[in-house]
Amino acid sequence: MDISASSQIGANLDVTKLSDRDKQELQQFVVNESQKARIQASIHSLTDTCFRKCIPTGTVKKGSLDKYEEPCIKNCVDRFLDANLVVLRELERMRQ
Amino acid sequence: NMDSLGASGMSAFGNDQKTQVMRQIQQEAAMQNARMLVEKLNEHCFERCVPKPGTSLSKGEESCFTACMDKYMQAWNTVSKQYVARIQKESQQGGMGNTF
């Protein structure tokens, strides 16, 4: 993997030379990509947690999710998000 | 695909600076995603498949690794679909604010 590019994002970019429309497009692009990256990070974190919860410990025999594991993973995601709502609600309540 | 490039303001064949930066940002995001996946796969599957490290990886340990990786990727896909569906639903109901 060539990682040299990653340390130079925008190194050649002179923002003052961009048109207003280009500036706006770039800004919107960055906002969208940031949100996508946040979502990706959440998915990684959730997969980590739910894999631990739903796949019985020990060696893995089969590569597919069986009829217990798949619903468990789906429930895990939904319950985590429900729990997140509870946390936000309670924090809000504590603030008042 | 080419359509989404146009929609985000990128020219598919452009080498103007704006397009270059956009491409670099996308590449960096893709690399970050791949890095995370490799890290998690190694972590989970080493834990499960190599409980007592020996002087080499046995055939059994290797096939456990393959099965574990398949399973983890399936779990990742399931989580991804479920998560995206949920946040789409929540944003339609206007309930989640800026949680994501």
Side-chain angles (χ1 to χ4, degrees), chain A:
Chain A
M1 266 196 245
D2 174 16
I3 59 167
S4 57
S6 63
S7 53
Q8 293 169 37
I9 293 179
N12 295 327
L13 183 66
D14 183 354
V15 185
T16 60
K17 293 221 172 81
L18 290 178
S19 69
D20 280 348
R21 199 190 80 154
D22 275 357
K23 279 186 207 164
Q24 212 172 34
E25 275 180 9
L26 198 50
Q27 186 176 51
Q28 188 59 50
F29 182 82
V30 169
V31 165
N32 289 344
E33 287 298 310
S34 296
Q35 187 183 51
K36 278 178 7 191
R38 258 202 306 279
I39 291 175
Q40 286 282 61
S42 294
I43 290 172
H44 278 298
S45 173
L46 267 174
T47 304
D48 190 354
T49 300
C50 296
F51 194 82
R52 241 180 268 280
K53 282 189 183 294
C54 291
I55 312 299
T57 53
T59 57
V60 181
K61 308 280 189 307
K62 269 191 341 153
S64 53
L65 295 172
D66 68 32
K67 59 181 174 159
Y68 304 106
E69 291 163 341
E70 189 171 349
C72 178
I73 303 253
K74 289 182 176 171
N75 286 337
C76 179
V77 174
D78 280 327
R79 299 297 76 74
F80 181 89
L81 293 172
D82 289 344
N84 193 50
L85 284 175
V86 171
V87 168
L88 294 174
R89 199 182 62 211
E90 285 306 300
L91 282 176
E92 184 58 33
R93 192 184 58 80
M94 289 185 216
R95 263 184 357 128
Q96 288 158 2

Side-chain angles (χ1 to χ4, degrees), chain A residues 18 22, chain B residues 9-11 13-21 23:
Chain A
L18 290 178
D22 275 357
Chain B
M10 279 175 72
S11 154
F13 305 103
N15 268 317
D16 61 289
Q17 289 187 344
K18 181 194 68 162
T19 302
Q20 262 187 23
V21 169
R23 252 203 292 267

